[in-house]
Structure formats: structure tokens, C-alpha cells
Amino acid sequence: MSEDALVWLSILAMAVATWITRVSGFWLMGLVPEGGFVRRALNHLPGALVVSILAPIVLDGGWAAAVAIAVAVAILRAGITAMFALFGALAAVALIRLVV
């Protein structure tokens, strides 16, 4: 089998595995009762994912990254869109690097 065919076969296998994972997830969640612990856990899942993504950035980026994330969170809490929160965080990092 040629190398190109192996690449395409691998891509197809990953696509099928992804599809099976998504379909089985919907099927399994259909078996779980809605409400109580499951509802509370699913409501907190987006925040937990964001923290798990941002924690290594803060640890590697130092206090400038922590300030930028704090600025972004403050902007989002004020009800302003995520795009402005991103710009605010970038401006905070740029200002910190300019001053320090």
C-alpha cells in the first residue's frame, strides 16, 4: 500500500472514530436523567474548560498573562462582547511589556 493511501486511510479512520464518539455521546446522554447533579455539572463544564485552558497560560506567561486574563474577565463581566475582551487583554499585555 502506498504512503498516500495510508494517509487517507488514517484520516478516514479518525473521521469514523470521531463520528462514533459523537453519536455514542448523544446516545449515552439520552440514558442519563436530566436534572440534579448532572444538570449542575453540565452547567459548570464550560467554565471548567476555560480554566483548564487558561491555567497553563498563566503559569507559563507570568503575571502579565494573569493581568490580561483578569482584564478580559472584567470586560466580559461588564457585559461587553468577547471581541472587546480580547482586545482589552491584548492591550493590557502590550502596555505591561511596554512599561516593564
Side-chain angles (χ1 to χ4, degrees):
M1 189 176 281
S2 73
E3 191 172 313
D4 287 341
L6 284 175
V7 168
W8 284 108
L9 186 62
S10 299
I11 292 171
L12 179 64
M14 288 185 283
V16 169
T18 301
W19 181 79
I20 289 172
T21 302
R22 296 188 100 189
V23 169
S24 64
F26 285 120
W27 177 74
L28 284 173
M29 284 307 293
L31 300 176
V32 176
E34 282 186 44
F37 173 75
V38 174
R39 172 71 55 202
R40 289 190 308 271
L42 290 175
N43 284 341
H44 289 292
L45 189 60
L49 291 173
V50 169
V51 169
S52 69
I53 292 169
L54 294 180
I57 294 171
V58 170
L59 292 175
D60 289 340
W63 64 275
V67 169
I69 290 172
V71 167
V73 168
I75 292 171
L76 286 172
R77 296 288 279 171
I80 303 172
T81 64
M83 185 63 75
F84 285 112
L86 174 67
F87 290 147
L90 290 173
V93 170
L95 184 64
I96 289 170
R97 290 189 178 168
L98 180 69
V99 172
V100 174

